[in-house]
Every structure is written in structure tokens, then in C-alpha cells.
Amino acid sequence: MKIKNKVALVTGAAKRIGHSVAIELASRGAQVAVHYRSSKVDGERTLAAIREAGSDGVLLQAELTSVSDIQRMFGEFDSHFGSLDILVNNASVFSAADPDHTTELIWNEQMDANARAPFFVAQQAALRMKEGKIVNLADVAGEVVWPSYFAYSVSKAALIAVNRGLAKALAPHIQVNAIAPGPILFPENYTEEQKQAAVDRTLLKRAGSPQDIVNAVMFLLENDYITGELIHVDGGRHIV
Ligand SMILES: NC(=O)c1ccc[n+]([C@@H]2O[C@H](COP(=O)([O-])OP(=O)(O)OC[C@H]3O[C@@H](n4cnc5c(N)ncnc54)[C@H](OP(=O)(O)O)[C@@H]3O)[C@@H](O)[C@H]2O)c1
């Protein structure tokens, strides 16, 4: 798929990796719907950067754990665009809790934001795609399951299943793929020790950059013969 003149929706695009993906899409000529939940000012910055990159877009607010709010967001999307070509399911929450400390609240928050929401966003997106691409931001935690991030890991495992299932269900006109990033941007509350431990668990002994993830997203969008795939962009973390 050529990205130029396409319409893209990136969830959680106000900051961090989603922000970088949105800007790259704009610099390649796509119009970008920038979703945010609570980071309105950052979302406005993303939109301003999209315009500086020579493209245009809109800002869409939604709490993606609510299916009715997802539907409302797409109603707003429809008032700006006639169709959708690209969805990047990027929004996510990342909460530490081992099985002993996994409350119902933590479990539901992780599953709802990281697995249920991407599914229902993709469901609405697919209704608006003639030919399209969906990229889901997963995690190697979904394959190996980290006990200290139990519900998070299970939610990403569910997302990897959603990825495969949607690849089958939406073929042949929509390709659905996932990326499993390694340590790219750490949570704000991470100590230096936690950051170093994450880096040490990679083969390449360093953190990646948002651009590493952006490059993988663009590769998946531009390649028309890959679907149901999960690409690790993790410095070799998944085989350690
Ligand atoms: N960062 C890494 O090193 C890393 C490593 C492995 C995997 N990943 C995956 O890569 C993706 C991007 O990572 P990131 O660290 O850039 O993400 P992030 O900063 O943790 O989250 C991105 C955005 O998700 C939005 N969000 C969270 N819960 C939401 C909800 N219920 N409804 C709507 N929006 C919600 C938030 O938007 P608001 O701020 O507007 O509320 C947040 O800014 C994620 O899927 C993550 O799991 C990242």
C-alpha cells in the first residue's frame, strides 16, 4: 500500500510511540486521525506536528474501554472522512502486579484496554475499509508471560490472538499484523535499575528508539503480502 493520500487512525497518539507513528504517517502524505484519551494538550501538539509535516488530520477523544465511546468516536471520524485505510492500535496500559496482587480492577483494566479495545476499534475500522491495513502494538510479554506483569502479559497474549483471528476474518482485503517492541520508552516511574535490567535482557544490550517501531509499522503498511504476522522489534529479547 502506498501511504500517500491514505487516511489513518492511530490510537494513543498524543505521546510517545503513537505520536511518532502519527508524524511519520503524515510526513509520508497520509491524513491522520489522532486519538487520545486524557492527553488533550499533547494530542494538539501531535496534530500541530502533522500540519508542520505538510499533511492534515483531526483530534478524536475516546475512552477505548467503552464500546459505546468507540462507536461515538467513529461517528465523529465519519463526519471528517469518507473511509479509512490504516489503523494502528497503539493505546495501552502497563501495570505491574504478580498473580497474588492482581485485583479484579487491574485484571479488567489491562484486558479492557489492551485486548478488548483493539478488537472493537478494529471492528469499527474494518467497516470503513475497502482495502486496509491494521497494525497492533503487542509485546513479547504476551508470548512468554511475565509473572510480575501477569494481567498485562495475558492481555497482550489475547491481543496476539485477536491479531491472528482478525487476519483470518478480514482477509483478503485487509491485512492485520502486530509488532512486539522491546524496551523502547520506559514508564516514567521506572528506576535506573529497572531500566538497566530491561536493557540487559536484550541481546543488543541497549534500548530501542520510537523510530525503530515506526520503521516496522511502515514496513508492514507498505508490504501487501504479509498478514497474521508478529514482528519482534526488541533487540533479540524474545529469544533470551
Ligand atoms: N514503550 C515501550 O518500550 C513498549 C514496550 C513494549 C510494548 N509497547 C507497546 O507499544 C505501544 C505504545 O507504547 P507506549 O509506551 O508509547 O504507550 P503508553 O505511553 O503506555 O500509552 C499510549 C497511550 O495509550 C492511551 N490509553 C491508555 N489507556 C487507554 C484507554 N483506556 N482508552 C484510550 N486510550 C488509552 C493513553 O492516552 P492518554 O495519554 O491520552 O490518556 C496513552 O498516552 C503500547 O501498545 C505498548 O504496550 C511499548
Side-chain angles (χ1 to χ4, degrees):
M1 172 188 278
K2 292 212 184 322
I3 293 170
K4 193 170 170 57
N5 297 326
K6 296 296 190 295
V7 176
L9 166 62
V10 184
T11 67
K15 297 193 264 194
R16 292 164 59 92
I17 292 173
H19 168 91
S20 299
V21 170
I23 306 305
E24 183 71 23
L25 286 165
S27 72
R28 293 179 186 225
Q31 294 185 76
V32 188
V34 175
H35 159 266
Y36 73 98
R37 176 189 54 180
S38 51
S39 301
K40 186 173 184 196
V41 172
D42 293 287
E44 285 167 349
R45 282 199 198 107
T46 303
L47 189 55
I50 283 168
R51 291 180 176 143
E52 275 165 33
S55 189
D56 206 352
V58 294
L59 205 50
L60 299 176
Q61 192 281 333
E63 168 53 71
L64 298 180
T65 59
S66 159
V67 176
S68 61
D69 217 30
I70 291 172
Q71 290 165 347
R72 180 198 54 74
M73 177 182 80
F74 273 95
E76 208 178 320
F77 173 92
D78 292 340
S79 66
H80 296 280
F81 304 106
S83 62
L84 177 64
D85 306 290
I86 295 164
L87 166 65
V88 182
N89 265 325
N90 168 81
S92 173
V93 281
F94 182 59
S95 299
D98 64 21
D100 283 349
H101 296 91
T102 298
T103 60
E104 184 180 6
L105 187 70
I106 290 173
W107 178 271
N108 288 344
E109 180 198 40
Q110 297 294 304
M111 293 300 287
D112 290 353
N114 298 352
R116 198 171 81 123
F119 169 73
F120 283 105
V121 172
Q123 184 188 60
Q124 289 296 314
L127 292 173
R128 292 159 175 83
M129 287 179 172
K130 288 188 199 78
E131 295 193 339
K133 307 270 187 182
I134 298 175
V135 179
N136 295 302
L137 271 290
D139 196 309
V140 68
E143 296 175 294
V144 299
V145 182
W146 301 332
S148 54
Y149 287 83
F150 196 83
Y152 171 78
S153 299
V154 173
S155 73
K156 290 293 190 181
L159 178 60
I160 292 167
V162 165
N163 186 66
R164 284 198 173 196
L166 286 179
K168 292 179 186 177
L170 301 178
H173 62 296
I174 299 174
Q175 285 97 59
V176 187
N177 293 292
I179 294 167
I184 305 292
L185 295 174
F186 298 103
E188 281 168 12
N189 61 356
Y190 256 32
T191 63
E192 288 309 312
E193 288 73 27
Q194 284 175 301
K195 292 179 189 175
Q196 192 57 49
V199 164
D200 287 345
R201 282 191 290 268
T202 67
L203 289 178
L204 301 187
K205 301 300 175 202
R206 60 181 172 81
S209 70
Q211 193 61 42
D212 292 317
I213 305 305
V214 167
N215 292 346
V217 173
M218 298 306 140
F219 167 75
L220 288 171
L221 296 179
E222 288 177 338
N223 191 305
D224 294 327
Y225 203 54
I226 302 177
T227 197
E229 189 57 88
L230 171 70
I231 298 184
H232 300 90
V233 185
D234 67 351
R237 168 79 177 86
H238 65 290
I239 57 167
V240 174

